[in-house]
Amino acid sequence: QVQLVESGGGLVQAGGSLRLSCVASGRTLSTFTMGWFRQAPGKEREFVAAISWSGGSTYYADSVKGRFTISRDNGKNTISLQMNSLKAEDTAVYYCAAKAWGVVGVTFRPDHWGQGTQVTVSS
């Protein structure tokens, strides 16, 4: 079983930056595709970004491309999401997710989820 714990959320002004982190325990992440999803109030959960087990392949939702960067450190069993040029519409609960050998793309369907961390962008 994989346990995922996110951190780094908070309140930031539009145009600012935040860095989210996710620490995994229970299993090594070296064979897992990892990613981030988000859910805004009243909306469905949506895909944000994914990264392959090696870190060599990444995929982003069009809404965050060029502003967000996903990365991973398998030695520390962590992934991160650097979020720059934040907009009010980025406000959401952000979830870390994982799936062994998962697809690195918008069709990424995780088996494991974190509890989420709130990101609020004020305009």
Side-chain angles (χ1 to χ4, degrees), residues 60-105:
Y60 297 91
D62 288 343
S63 58
V64 306
K65 200 173 297 181
R67 300 188 298 122
F68 291 11
T69 302
I70 189 171
S71 60
R72 67 189 296 162
D73 184 336
N74 287 342
K76 295 182 179 179
N77 256 18
T78 63
I79 68 166
S80 298
L81 185 68
Q82 178 66 43
M83 305 185 295
N84 298 329
S85 302
L86 283 162
K87 306 175 182 179
E89 51 264 42
D90 294 318
T91 295
V93 177
Y94 283 72
Y95 297 90
C96 177
K99 180 179 176 65
W101 308 111
V103 171
V104 182

Side-chain angles (χ1 to χ4, degrees), residues 2-9 20-25 35-39 45 92-98 111-119:
V2 176
Q3 291 80 42
L4 305 172
V5 179
E6 305 94 336
S7 63
L20 305 183
S21 295
C22 173
V23 179
S25 61
W36 292 93
F37 287 72
R38 67 186 182 186
Q39 187 168 19
R45 189 175 299 187
V93 177
Y94 283 72
Y95 297 90
C96 177
D111 293 327
H112 308 280
W113 296 88
Q115 82 290 348
T117 185
Q118 177 70 48
V119 171

